[in-house]
Amino acid sequence: MFDKITPRSEDYSKWYTQVIRQAEMADYAPVRGCMVVRPYGYALWENVKEQLDVRFKATGHQNAAFPLFIPMSFIEKEAEHVEGFKPELAVVTHGGGKKLEEPLVVRPTSETIIGYMYSQWIQSYRDLPVLINQWANVVRWELRPRLFLRTMEFFWQEGHTAHATHEEAVEETLRILDIYTDFAVNEAAIPVIPGRKSESEKFPGALTSYTIEAMMGDKRALQAGTSHDLGQNFSKVFDIQFLDANQKQQHCWTTSWGVSTRMIGAIIMTHGDDQGLVLPPRLAPTQLVIVPIVPKNSEEARQVVTQTVNAISETLGDIRYHVDDRYEYSPGWRFNEWELKGVPLRIEIGPRDIENEQVVFARRDIPGKEGKSFIPIADVAETATQMLDTIQSDMLKRASEFRDANTFEPTDYDSFKEIVEEGFARAWWCGNETCEDKVKEETQATIRCIPTEQPDSDGACIVCGTKAEEITIFARAY
RNA sequence: CGGGGCGUAGCGCAGCCCGGCUAGCGCGUCUGCUUUGGGAGCAGAAGGUCGGAGGUUCGAAUCCUCUCGCCCCGACCA
């Protein structure tokens, strides 16, 4: 049933896979590169979905569903888009036993088919903006899959909007980036850096791509969400036009944005430790687990424990709790199981506690004795609610400190090259692609983003030394 | 596609180099008894087309040929 988990320091990648499988988040499917999201992993994903969905709806978006299949010719319409996605397409050539007239692409993303529909739905400036999101699965033929981070089929939300002006589209793109940042920081307890992608890293077909970048436990970067200003690139090839108030035909300005099941991977790698998962209380499927401890030879003691557990449970209100009364497993076994699964808070209740009218609280984010405390039975509900909040904010604090401690500001290229192996490098960049390529070639690090927040001053490019206007985050990425 | 590793019980592995009795071990499962405050103990039991095909041989998990699949590391990527 259980194996000792490989410590992160020994082999981070092994640790990651073992945690996912042993905590029953996901399993490998019989098809290469595909995964099965198991109930525990899916419950976490549902909480992610819910929190994002609430935010989308609060900003006027509606959900809809578009087809899984896209005519090949659609993908080929936008030059950069084809070039970017062609290598990773899954293509259906046969259907119903016959060769198809035109091959169908299994959607890798839906700008094209949604753009096609928008061209039919939008006639007038009065139809704008169109603000639609879809929760869907998409397929990209990845060469090197990794559970949650990069699977051939993955689940995500993709928002697609159309606007009358570029200003509005930019505003929308940045509004979503704010939503993603807010979600990552306040729900997932992941500190992220919002910013702009470089030309070479942007979405194929976009004018500008924005991203939130996070640092994982092995100090590598992970793109946790993206929001794209598509300009008029898609509206021109799909003919999404409207008549403005001055009776002039104009092309729409469109955006697209997405967060995927990769977010689960980000949560695992930001917070997990050598005991397993550590889930942020706000997203954890189970926030609190109660582990009753009973002696088998005393029916009476057993009943007292059960009654106390029941009484406490009734006071817990909105807390997502679970009582683990599998007495066939020893208490130690159950403790370890819930630690592996990352449940933020555990309550232990045995006869000894009941005598003292108290219970034991154990915080998942502080392993061992330091995370344990005795709480009077009467105060359980109130303390649990407070402690979950504390755990949530402590997790964010810890992750932020870790990131900051591993973010460096090198001043010359030699130290930059060393430092970028060890974490994030914040450095000036002249904006020139040759400098970007040189870094990539010599260090494997890429430009993760040009942060939205910039200092007032100018500087010298870390690579070529010429005048640079923007501070840039370089790092090795997933 | 290049480099590496692995397919033997539900899971993890040994056996293979050097062919030979009935294919082992650990975990899990089932039964019984004892246990329960950090992954319980004892006793018993069930569980196998050795990834697939072909070949060599009196005899193949083991040797040869072909084949399928998966994992890890690189190039591509949310």
Side-chain angles (χ1 to χ4, degrees):
Chain A
M1 181 85 186
F2 82 94
D3 285 312
K4 200 94 186 132
I5 300 168
T6 306
R8 287 172 303 164
S9 55
E10 192 180 301
D11 187 337
Y12 197 81
S13 159
K14 213 178 231 176
W15 168 84
Y16 177 74
T17 308
Q18 282 176 355
V19 166
I20 288 174
R21 300 193 67 194
Q22 287 185 36
E24 298 180 340
M25 297 282 281
D27 211 343
Y28 288 110
V31 180
R32 187 195 75 90
C34 293
M35 70 172 171
V36 175
V37 181
R38 301 186 66 176
Y40 193 61
Y42 204 81
L44 179 57
W45 176 237
E46 282 177 321
N47 289 343
V48 169
K49 275 173 83 168
E50 195 189 323
Q51 289 304 323
L52 286 171
D53 210 57
V54 163
R55 288 164 168 79
F56 298 153
K57 286 181 179 149
T59 44
H61 301 83
Q62 291 179 300
N63 287 328
F66 293 84
L68 175 69
F69 297 125
I70 300 177
M72 180 61 105
S73 57
F74 280 30
I75 302 282
E76 287 167 343
K77 280 195 173 164
E78 211 286 330
E80 278 186 26
H81 197 65
V82 204
E83 203 194 319
F85 282 106
K86 200 89 190 233
E88 40 185 316
L89 295 180
V91 182
V92 180
T93 55
H94 288 74
K98 278 190 195 152
K99 186 158 193 261
L100 300 175
E101 285 281 307
E102 180 182 355
L104 294 172
V105 168
V106 181
R107 63 179 166 216
T109 178
S110 305
E111 279 75 7
T112 55
I113 197 155
I114 292 178
Y116 172 84
M117 295 312 298
Y118 282 8
S119 71
Q120 314 205 353
W121 295 342
I122 297 167
Q123 316 296 337
S124 149
Y125 70 97
R126 292 194 179 88
D127 297 328
L128 296 171
V130 175
L131 308 172
I132 290 180
N133 174 64
Q134 84 166 337
W135 290 95
N137 56 339
V138 290
V139 169
R140 298 181 188 178
W141 212 262
E142 297 294 349
L143 301 175
R144 193 151 167 272
R146 216 149 147 31
L147 292 172
F148 287 115
L149 298 183
R150 200 180 306 102
T151 44
M152 294 221 305
E153 179 194 20
F154 60 92
F155 302 89
W156 75 347
Q157 59 69 213
E158 47 178 328
H160 296 270
T161 67
H163 308 263
T165 67
H166 192 208
E167 291 70 47
E168 271 182 47
V170 171
E171 205 175 288
E172 165 77 3
T173 309
L174 296 176
R175 179 182 302 121
I176 296 298
L177 193 69
D178 280 348
I179 287 177
Y180 287 164
T181 306
D182 174 61
F183 167 83
V185 172
N186 296 315
E187 304 292 339
I190 300 175
V192 292
I193 304 171
R196 199 179 82 233
K197 282 288 182 191
S198 69
E199 272 299 298
S200 68
E201 297 277 333
K202 72 170 199 205
F203 177 80
L207 220 54
T208 313
S209 287
Y210 297 87
T211 174
I212 49 172
E213 294 287 327
M215 182 188 282
M216 302 295 99
D218 61 351
K219 303 169 195 170
R220 288 172 72 178
L222 185 79
Q223 178 174 315
T226 45
S227 184
H228 314 290
D229 167 12
L230 301 176
Q232 293 177 313
N233 293 345
F234 286 88
S235 67
K236 282 188 174 156
V237 294
F238 282 95
D239 211 25
I240 313 172
Q241 293 197 60
F242 66 98
L243 197 61
D244 72 13
N246 302 318
Q247 317 254 2
K248 267 173 114 178
Q249 280 289 335
Q250 293 206 39
H251 284 104
C252 285
W253 298 82
T254 66
T255 81
S256 71
W257 29 276
V259 158
S260 72
T261 31
R262 174 180 272 191
M263 184 57 82
I264 307 287
I267 292 169
I268 295 167
M269 288 198 291
T270 300
H271 304 301
D273 65 17
D274 288 348
Q275 313 302 313
L277 296 175
V278 181
L279 298 180
R282 295 185 59 91
L283 294 176
T286 301
Q287 297 173 306
L288 168 64
V289 66
I290 300 176
V291 180
I293 299 154
V294 296
K296 200 170 195 175
N297 50 21
S298 167
E299 185 60 31
E300 195 192 329
R302 198 174 172 145
Q303 266 180 22
V304 174
V305 172
T306 312
Q307 277 163 13
T308 311
V309 168
N310 288 344
I312 290 173
S313 303
E314 276 169 30
T315 66
L316 292 176
D318 290 338
I319 297 175
R320 296 189 290 270
Y321 72 93
H322 173 73
V323 178
D324 184 4
D325 56 0
R326 296 174 298 170
Y327 297 135
E328 63 273 25
Y329 294 100
S330 72
W333 195 95
R334 284 178 280 160
F335 296 166
N336 280 289
E337 162 106 341
W338 294 110
E339 279 171 15
L340 171 63
K341 291 201 157 191
V343 173
L345 191 55
R346 180 179 71 236
I347 296 182
E348 309 167 8
I349 305 177
R352 249 165 31 210
D353 300 309
I354 290 169
E355 268 175 45
N356 300 323
E357 297 191 11
Q358 64 182 25
V359 299
V360 177
F361 270 45
R363 285 176 61 162
R364 176 61 183 92
D365 63 322
I366 306 178
K369 268 198 176 152
E370 293 89 272
K372 289 202 181 189
S373 51
F374 294 105
I375 305 297
I377 287 180
D379 301 344
V380 167
E382 201 191 329
T383 311
T385 306
Q386 285 168 4
M387 204 175 276
L388 287 169
D389 281 346
T390 308
I391 292 170
Q392 179 82 28
S393 57
D394 283 1
M395 284 176 68
L396 176 63
K397 204 191 293 170
R398 217 170 289 122
S400 304
E401 283 166 4
F402 178 81
R403 185 195 63 190
D404 294 345
N406 291 292
T407 300
F408 309 101
E409 302 194 3
T411 49
D412 62 275
Y413 190 55
D414 283 338
S415 58
F416 170 87
K417 282 204 281 192
E418 278 172 38
I419 257 162
V420 89
E421 305 282 329
E422 306 279 316
F424 285 11
R426 275 174 63 90
W428 293 99
W429 174 51
C430 61
N432 206 315
E433 210 160 300
T434 26
C435 292
E436 184 181 12
D437 289 346
K438 187 178 175 194
V439 169
K440 190 171 182 180
E441 217 168 281
E442 293 179 3
T443 67
Q444 287 185 301
T446 50
I447 290 178
R448 299 322 306 156
C449 73
I450 299 143
T452 311
E453 254 180 64
Q454 288 287 330
D456 293 329
S457 56
D458 285 354
C461 176
I462 192 73
V463 186
C464 67
T466 58
K467 191 182 171 212
E469 285 176 359
E470 289 178 313
I471 276 280
T472 302
I473 303 286
F474 293 85
R476 298 182 60 186
Y478 274 98

